[in-house]
Amino acid sequence: MTQDELKKRVAEAALQYVVDNTVIGVGSGSTVNFFIDALASIKGRIEGTVAASEASAERLRKHGIRVFDLNAVAEVPVYVDGADEVTENLHMVKGGGGALTREKILAAVAGSFVCICDASKLVPVLGRFPLPVEVIPMARSHVGREMVRRKAQPVLRENYRTDNGNLILDCWGLAIVDPPALEAELNDIAGVVTNGIFARRGADVLLLGGDNGVRTLLKEGFRGSIR
Ligand code: 5RP
């Protein structure tokens, strides 16, 4: 199967986690685009969505799916999103598409986080994918120096602004052996909006699309139900 076929397969598998008559959190990226297309087939069963990026919101609206402002929504029982890297204990690196801050907000709000990936995203240790760090523009150099001090090589994402009007530093060369600790440490640097480690609030469910089907990994103690 091609990578796109694997993404489509895993995106369709995520439909079983959609809770009827609720607002669904929708992430961002090419795997999520397949999820949005699949969600369109059951749009009559949901109240609507909140989206982690303008691009996802536009795609949802094109399918006739309602998109709410997060502030207008009381709860988001399920959030579905992709990842750039994920480990077996459901820590992730995200933000390849630049939507990491809104994705982290949705992850924080959601009852359950369902991560959808093709099997190539599973890694033993996070960090081969350059870690995206969203930065307030005036702090670009300061944050860059702080990342160099931590043995990373930061590269400014060229001609790019996030949906929040900020910059992204893609930070190469980090071996992220303690994801929750590094996530907190980097978020503490003045000028960092957030970084792409999703470990303090990781996924609850990981759906991994491979040639032999979809493998499901659950966070220890996860008690969510599927339809
Ligand atoms: C965007 C993200 C995406 O989830 C991540 O980049 C994966 O994207 P894709 O499904 O295209 O591989 O974090 O900010």
Side-chain angles (χ1 to χ4, degrees):
M1 285 180 105
T2 66
Q3 202 180 15
D4 272 356
E5 285 166 341
L6 295 177
K7 288 178 181 185
K8 186 164 184 280
R9 168 183 266 188
V10 78
E12 287 169 355
L15 286 184
Q16 67 192 307
Y17 290 88
V18 168
V19 181
D20 286 359
N21 303 313
T22 66
V23 174
I24 308 301
V26 176
S28 180
S30 57
T31 315
V32 163
N33 283 344
F34 285 113
F35 175 68
I36 293 172
D37 297 346
L39 193 62
S41 68
I42 60 158
K43 65 182 178 188
R45 286 190 1 217
I46 61 169
E47 204 175 308
T49 57
V50 284
S53 68
E54 301 298 338
S56 290
E58 193 183 324
R59 194 177 186 100
L60 285 159
R61 287 194 191 98
K62 274 195 182 141
H63 279 298
I65 299 173
R66 202 162 170 198
V67 181
F68 293 99
D69 181 316
L70 181 60
N71 295 303
V73 165
E75 56 170 6
V76 179
V78 175
Y79 173 51
V80 178
D81 199 358
D84 298 301
E85 286 185 333
V86 61
T87 64
E88 288 209 342
N89 48 8
L90 310 198
H91 294 155
M92 296 158 282
V93 163
K94 293 182 43 53
L100 61 166
T101 298
R102 295 186 187 194
E103 291 172 345
K104 206 169 269 196
I105 294 167
L106 280 177
V109 168
S112 304
F113 185 148
V114 178
C115 178
I116 52 174
C117 292
D118 67 84
S120 71
K121 304 287 184 71
L122 186 66
V123 296
V125 179
L126 300 174
R128 204 170 35 181
F129 189 91
L131 178 68
V133 180
E134 181 164 350
V135 175
I136 300 285
M138 75 171 282
R140 183 192 70 216
S141 300
H142 167 65
V143 175
R145 285 190 293 270
E146 287 293 318
M147 295 309 299
V148 169
R149 214 160 63 74
R150 290 165 174 81
K151 312 277 183 259
Q153 294 93 52
V155 176
L156 179 65
R157 204 175 286 187
E158 276 188 32
N159 303 317
Y160 186 80
R161 290 275 172 161
T162 68
D163 285 345
N164 313 308
N166 297 316
L167 304 172
I168 298 272
L169 294 177
D170 289 306
C171 298
W172 295 82
L174 286 166
I176 305 173
V177 289
D178 186 347
L182 189 63
E183 180 180 1
E185 179 183 331
L186 298 183
N187 281 348
D188 231 22
I189 300 170
V192 168
V193 180
T194 199
N195 71 84
I197 302 173
F198 283 58
R200 298 171 80 79
R201 199 288 186 247
D204 298 298
V205 179
L206 169 60
L207 301 178
L208 269 183
D211 282 330
N212 297 324
V214 175
R215 184 175 161 211
T216 304
L217 285 81
L218 298 180
K219 183 180 162 186
E220 219 180 292
F222 177 68
R223 303 229 181 286
S225 59
I226 60 170
R227 294 172 55 82

